[in-house]
Amino acid sequence: MKIDRIFSLSFFISLTFVSILTAQIPVNGFCGFREYVTRPNHTKVFTVDFTNDGWRDLIIIDRLEKKYSVQSWEKDKFTTPGGRITSTSFYDFRSMNVVDPRSKMYGYISRKDREAGIVSFNNSGTANIQSKVKFDSYPSGIDVSDVNRNGKSELLVSGNNFQGLSLIIEEKKKLVETPIDSENLYSYSNFIDLDYDSYPDIAAVDLLKNSIIFFNNDRTGKFNKTRSIDVGEVIKEFSIADINSNGYNDLVFVNENGFEVLLGDSVSSFKNKLTIKTDGRPDKYTILDFNGDGYNDIAFINYFSGKLFVLFAKGANEFYPPIVYFQRNGIVDIVSYIDRGGRKLAALDGNGKIYIVDRLTEIDDATIALAVSPSLVGTFNYLNDRRKEIFFIDDEQPRIVFLISAKRLFDTYYDYRLSQVHTNITVDETQRDRKTFYFYSEGERIIELLRINFQKMEFSKRILYASGPIYDLKITSDRLKDRQTIFVLPKEKGKLFIESFDFRDFRYLSSGTEEIADNVEKASLLFNVYKEIFHFESNSEKLFLKKSVFNRKVQSQDIIAEINIKENENPFMEVKSFEDEEINQNITAAWIQQKNNTELFLVNRNKTNKIILKDFCPDYGTLHYLDGEKENSIFMYDRSKGKIKKVVINNSKRGIDIEDVFESKNINSYIVDKLNSKKEYLIYSDKSDNLIKLKNLR
C-alpha cells in the first residue's frame, strides 16, 4: 500500500543560518585533561618548582588557615597532598625573581595576620619566612618588581580594606613600609612600565572612584601620582597583561558581561578599548598563549556555573567565541604556567580536586575536556583518507563538537548548535570537501540535516519530520550528481513503513511511503541488491526475526529465527544492519534478552549464526560494528555489569570468538574505530566525570 503525502511546514522545514557554526578555532591539541586528588576546603593554588627539576609543583592554601598542602610532580603525576604548618596564613604570593619564574623566593601577604613578607621553600615545599612587616589594616593585593634596578625586588601592597598604597622595601635585612598614598583605598595595584624606560611605574584601582590611578617612578623608587582614567563602573579582577601580543602593556578587568581591555600603546594613552563578551561574568582568569600560536589567550571560571572557559585569540584584537572545557561545582581558582611539559592550565576545586589541562601529544589512553555533558560520540573522515576525526554531542546546549587533526593531533575545533538532543548520527562522506550529518533519535520523528564544508566554512541546515517514530535511517548518495535519498523506517498505527526523502543539491524534491509489516517491535534497513528490512514481529507466545525484501513493494518475507517467549516475560531486543566496506559483505546483528541470557543472531547473506551470551544483558542502543581486513567485530555493552563484549567474526577461519575488551559502568555512549592506523580505539563519553576518553584496545 502506497501512501502519498503533501508535505507542509509540519513535515518539512528548510533553515539556513548565518553564524551558528563556530570558526575553525586552533586549539592545537590543548584539550588534554588530568585530575588529581588534593585536600578539600582550599581556596587558592600556586605553582612553584620547589623540587628544582624543571616541573612545577603545587602549593595549595586556605587563606584563613596557618597551614597549606604541597604536591610535587613525580613520574608523570602529582603526588598525594602533604600538609605543612606555618606561622602565618598565606593569602597571595608573587615570585621575587621576575626574570626567573623558577625562583623559590616569594613575596607574600597575609590578610588575616595583616602582614607582608618574604618566604622561601625548600625541596620538600616547607616554607621558611625570611622577613616580614606588620600593618594596621588588611592587605589583599600584592605585586613584585625591582623599582630602582638595584637587583632587589620590592613589594607593592594594596587592598579593599588596606589603608592606601604601600611599597615594602628591604633595608638592613629588614622590611620597611613606605607609603605611596595613605589617603585612598586601592582594591588592586600592579607594576607597569608606562613610559617603557625599564623602570616600573604603578597602575592602581581607586575603590571608591572606580578609576585607574597612575603613579610614575622617578627612577629612584619614588612614585608620584600623575593622571587617572575614569572607568565609570566597578572594576573587578584588575591586572596588567599584553592581551593583544603587540609588545605594549594593556589594562584588563572584568564586568558582568565579560572583559574590558584598555589597550596600551607607545605612550600608554589607553584611549582604545577592547570589549570581550562572555557567557557569565569571569570571576577568575589567567592569560597565556595556550595553543602556541603567538597570541595570548584567556582562561576563566565562573563560580555560579562552575564552568571553565578558554578564549582563544583570533588575532591582535579579536577573539573566537569562548569554548567551555568542563563544569565542576566548587571550582574556586585557576592558574596558568609553563614547565618542561609545556603550557598548562590548573584549576582548583574546593571539594578536593586539581584539574590540569594541557596539550595532547598522543592518542593512546587520552582524556579530552571540551564539554559540559557529552553524550553521543562518533567518527568521520575529514579528508577521505586513512585518518579519522572524532565528534561528540554536548547535551547541555545542545551542540555538536568536531575535533579535526589536520596537521597535528586535534589541532582544530568546531561546534554547531543543534535544535535538540539526538541519540543517532549517520554521516554522508561521499564528498571529500563537504560532509553531511543526519541526526535523529529512535522513537522520535525529527530528522536534522547539517551539511558542512569545513575548509570554506560553508554550511546548510534542513529539518524533516518522518510520518511516525523512527526505527532506523540510512542514506544513498550520488557523488557526481549531488543527489541523496534518505530512507527511514517509521512506525505508524502499529505498522512498519519505509519512507524516503529525495534531495538534489541539498534541496528537497519528493517523498514516498510504503507499508512493510505489522506488529513490529524493532527494525533495521540494509542496502543489498534490493532493500532488506530486518525486523522483529511478535505474538503472544513467539517472537520472529524476519527479513522483508523490498523493491517498490515487498517482494518476499522470510523467517530467519523463531524465539519462544517465556510466560510473563517482557524481553528486550535490538536489530541493526551494517555495510562492510572492507570485504563488501553486509551483516545484520539482532539480539533478544530474556532472564540473564542473550541470544545473538548474526545474519550474513543467507547464513545465520546463533550465539548464546550467558549472564550478559546488553543495553539497547549499544550495538556497534567494526569492519576489518580479515575480521569483523560486533560490540555490545552491559551497563549493569560494566562490560563491553567483542564478538569477532573471522572471515578466513570462518569462526567466531567472544572476548571482554573493556570494563566500566560509567559509559554514556561509545564507538570503536580505527583512527590513524590499524589500532582499534574505544572512544566513549564518561557520565561520571563528563569527559571524552580514548582507549587503545589493541
Side-chain angles (χ1 to χ4, degrees):
M1 178 177 67
K2 184 175 181 180
I3 302 176
D4 294 320
R5 298 187 181 275
I6 299 175
F7 280 79
S8 63
L9 185 62
S10 62
F11 286 90
F12 176 77
I13 302 175
S14 176
L15 300 173
T16 302
F17 295 94
V18 177
S19 59
I20 298 179
L21 181 70
T22 62
Q24 49 184 10
I25 302 179
V27 297
N28 288 339
F30 191 78
C31 57
F33 180 93
R34 283 174 284 182
E35 178 180 309
Y36 302 94
V37 175
T38 189
R39 295 186 175 184
N41 302 319
H42 288 347
T43 56
K44 195 164 182 61
V45 57
F46 301 92
T47 59
V48 180
D49 181 16
F50 54 74
T51 57
N52 238 6
D53 60 358
W55 298 90
R56 292 291 188 97
D57 311 303
L58 302 179
I59 294 179
I60 308 169
I61 67 171
D62 179 348
R63 288 170 159 176
L64 299 178
E65 299 292 335
K66 293 185 178 182
K67 58 184 179 180
Y68 62 95
S69 297
V70 298
Q71 294 178 246
S72 60
W73 183 262
E74 292 182 6
K75 298 179 180 179
D76 295 329
K77 64 180 181 180
F78 284 111
T79 59
T80 56
R84 301 290 187 271
I85 304 296
T86 67
S87 60
T88 188
S89 55
F90 296 124
Y91 186 86
D92 207 352
F93 292 99
R94 291 292 185 275
S95 175
M96 292 296 290
N97 192 331
V98 295
V99 177
D100 186 2
R102 297 174 299 175
S103 170
K104 293 189 287 184
M105 196 75 71
Y106 281 76
Y108 77 88
I109 54 173
S110 172
R111 181 181 175 87
K112 181 180 179 181
D113 298 301
R114 295 182 297 177
E115 68 181 41
I118 298 174
V119 60
S120 63
F121 295 95
N122 65 16
N123 290 338
S124 66
T126 300
N128 180 20
I129 296 177
Q130 307 291 319
S131 55
K132 60 184 178 181
V133 60
K134 290 283 187 177
F135 306 114
D136 294 327
S137 53
Y138 301 88
S140 58
I142 182 175
D143 203 3
V144 172
S145 190
D146 182 0
V147 299
N148 52 13
R149 299 186 64 187
N150 65 353
K152 294 182 179 181
S153 294
E154 286 75 34
L155 311 181
L156 179 64
V157 179
S158 60
N160 291 343
N161 295 299
F162 185 78
Q163 189 59 47
L165 184 66
S166 290
L167 196 66
I168 310 302
I169 301 173
E170 184 180 4
E171 292 183 356
K172 297 180 180 180
K173 298 183 179 181
K174 291 185 178 181
L175 294 182
V176 178
E177 178 184 8
T178 301
I180 297 174
D181 182 348
S182 302
E183 302 298 326
N184 301 294
L185 294 178
Y186 295 95
S187 53
Y188 303 91
S189 63
N190 294 87
F191 287 114
I192 178 174
D193 193 355
L194 294 169
D195 51 8
Y196 299 98
D197 62 351
S198 74
Y199 286 86
D201 308 298
I202 295 173
V205 175
D206 190 310
L207 176 64
L208 301 180
K209 296 179 181 179
N210 294 329
S211 60
I212 301 171
I213 312 299
F214 297 105
F215 298 84
N216 276 65
N217 187 347
D218 67 358
R219 299 194 179 191
T220 68
K222 293 181 180 180
F223 295 86
N224 301 300
K225 186 185 298 185
T226 55
R227 61 190 176 101
S228 66
I229 298 176
D230 185 10
V231 176
E233 60 181 313
V234 177
I235 300 173
K236 297 287 187 180
E237 296 298 315
F238 177 81
S239 67
I240 308 296
D242 182 7
I243 200 74
N244 54 2
S245 307
N246 65 353
Y248 299 120
N249 295 316
D250 307 314
L251 311 178
V252 186
F253 57 94
V254 303
N255 56 26
E256 294 297 327
N257 299 316
F259 292 91
E260 296 289 344
V261 184
L262 303 183
L263 296 171
D265 49 39
S266 60
V267 293
S268 297
S269 67
F270 304 110
K271 63 181 180 179
N272 295 319
K273 183 171 73 171
L274 173 64
T275 298
I276 307 170
K277 293 185 178 181
T278 60
D279 184 11
R281 185 181 70 185
D283 290 306
K284 288 285 184 181
Y285 65 91
T286 183
I287 299 171
L288 187 70
D289 179 11
F290 295 113
N291 58 2
D293 64 353
Y295 295 102
N296 280 325
D297 311 305
I298 308 172
F300 66 93
I301 57 175
N302 176 264
Y303 292 151
F304 179 77
S305 67
K307 295 177 182 177
L308 184 146
F309 301 85
V310 176
L311 280 158
F312 287 98
K314 193 174 184 179
N317 294 316
E318 190 176 2
F319 286 81
Y320 293 104
I323 297 175
V324 60
Y325 269 63
F326 57 83
Q327 181 181 41
R328 296 290 186 272
N329 293 327
I331 192 168
V332 293
D333 194 28
I334 56 171
V335 63
S336 57
Y337 61 98
I338 302 175
D339 64 9
R340 289 172 59 184
R343 299 169 172 87
K344 298 177 182 179
L345 176 64
L348 173 65
D349 188 327
N351 297 312
K353 296 287 182 65
I354 286 286
Y355 312 113
I356 304 295
V357 180
D358 58 5
R359 181 187 162 199
L360 277 176
T361 56
E362 59 181 27
I363 200 169
D364 288 4
D365 300 331
T367 299
I368 298 172
L370 281 173
V372 172
S373 182
S375 57
L376 183 65
V377 298
T379 61
F380 71 105
N381 200 318
Y382 172 55
L383 296 174
N384 288 5
D385 54 14
R386 297 185 65 85
R387 182 171 57 189
K388 291 189 176 182
E389 324 301 329
I390 70 171
F391 62 79
F392 51 88
I393 288 181
D394 186 349
D395 285 354
E396 193 217 20
Q397 291 186 339
R399 65 194 173 108
I400 183 169
V401 174
F402 303 98
L403 276 181
I404 292 175
S405 303
K407 296 181 179 179
R408 60 175 63 175
L409 184 62
F410 302 142
D411 54 10
T412 309
Y413 167 102
Y414 301 82
D415 74 12
Y416 177 86
R417 187 72 62 89
L418 298 171
S419 64
Q420 66 178 57
V421 174
H422 301 280
T423 60
N424 296 82
I425 300 180
T426 297
V427 187
D428 180 4
E429 302 178 296
T430 308
Q431 302 285 343
R432 185 179 187 274
D433 58 341
R434 60 176 181 258
K435 311 299 174 189
T436 307
F437 298 83
Y438 301 81
F439 305 86
Y440 69 101
S441 296
E442 292 184 39
E444 297 185 15
R445 297 176 56 203
I446 188 172
I447 306 168
E448 187 168 354
L449 289 68
L450 174 64
R451 169 172 282 191
I452 304 178
N453 186 318
F454 289 99
Q455 295 176 327
K456 294 182 178 180
M457 287 299 297
E458 297 174 350
F459 64 97
S460 298
K461 175 182 177 178
R462 306 283 186 266
I463 292 180
L464 305 175
Y465 285 88
S467 59
I470 299 171
Y471 280 135
D472 196 12
L473 180 150
K474 293 288 196 304
I475 58 170
T476 61
S477 184
D478 187 325
R479 180 177 61 85
L480 298 178
K481 297 181 179 179
D482 190 16
R483 183 163 186 160
Q484 300 82 34
T485 302
I486 307 169
F487 293 94
V488 296
L489 298 179
K491 183 178 181 180
E492 188 176 12
K493 296 180 180 180
K495 298 180 182 294
L496 178 68
F497 295 87
I498 183 169
E499 187 172 15
S500 63
F501 301 88
D502 291 325
F503 279 80
R504 180 70 178 266
D505 299 324
F506 210 55
R507 293 192 298 269
Y508 170 74
L509 295 177
S510 62
S511 64
T513 305
E514 293 282 350
E515 182 179 337
I516 300 297
D518 201 356
N519 297 322
V520 172
E521 298 292 336
K522 302 292 179 183
S524 71
L525 175 63
L526 184 65
F527 298 136
N528 230 319
V529 177
Y530 299 117
K531 298 174 185 66
E532 298 175 350
I533 297 95
F534 294 83
H535 48 95
F536 281 110
E537 290 186 17
S538 63
N539 59 31
S540 59
E541 297 179 352
K542 290 189 177 182
L543 189 71
F544 299 94
L545 176 61
K546 294 185 176 182
K547 180 179 76 171
S548 296
V549 178
F550 179 83
N551 182 26
R552 298 186 179 180
K553 64 179 181 178
V554 175
Q555 302 292 326
S556 64
Q557 191 175 87
D558 299 318
I559 298 176
I560 297 173
E562 183 177 319
I563 305 104
N564 292 321
I565 304 298
K566 298 178 182 179
E567 188 175 357
N568 298 323
E569 278 286 317
N570 184 22
F572 295 98
M573 68 200 74
E574 184 175 17
V575 56
K576 276 193 172 183
S577 300
F578 308 96
E579 295 182 26
D580 192 311
E581 298 177 359
E582 292 287 347
I583 61 174
N584 195 26
Q585 188 169 312
N586 300 331
I587 190 168
T588 295
W591 61 262
I592 178 170
Q593 179 258 316
Q594 297 186 81
K595 297 292 186 182
N596 289 323
N597 297 326
T598 297
E599 294 181 60
L600 173 65
F601 300 92
L602 300 178
V603 185
N604 190 340
R605 294 180 179 173
N606 295 320
K607 180 181 179 182
T608 301
N609 288 307
K610 178 182 176 180
I611 303 166
I612 304 297
L613 302 175
K614 294 184 178 181
D615 196 26
F616 185 79
C617 305
D619 278 39
Y620 183 74
T622 66
L623 184 64
H624 295 289
Y625 177 75
L626 179 66
D627 57 342
E629 295 179 0
K630 297 181 180 180
E631 63 183 34
N632 308 321
S633 302
I634 298 290
F635 295 88
M636 309 169 74
Y637 177 51
D638 184 336
R639 193 179 308 276
S640 63
K641 294 181 175 60
K643 290 184 178 181
I644 294 180
K645 279 191 182 296
K646 178 181 180 181
V647 180
V648 181
I649 308 166
N650 194 305
N651 298 316
S652 58
K653 297 179 180 179
R654 299 183 180 276
I656 294 177
D657 298 317
I658 303 173
E659 57 182 300
D660 293 332
V661 294
F662 191 71
E663 188 168 341
S664 171
K665 291 186 177 182
N666 299 317
I667 295 176
N668 190 0
S669 168
Y670 79 97
I671 191 171
V672 179
D673 208 344
K674 298 175 182 179
L675 296 181
N676 55 8
S677 65
K678 295 183 178 180
K679 294 181 180 179
E680 293 181 3
Y681 287 94
L682 170 68
I683 308 155
Y684 68 98
S685 56
D686 193 316
K687 65 179 181 180
S688 68
D689 51 21
N690 289 318
L691 299 168
I692 301 297
K693 298 179 180 179
L694 291 81
K695 177 74 176 179
N696 180 9
L697 295 183
R698 68 173 188 177

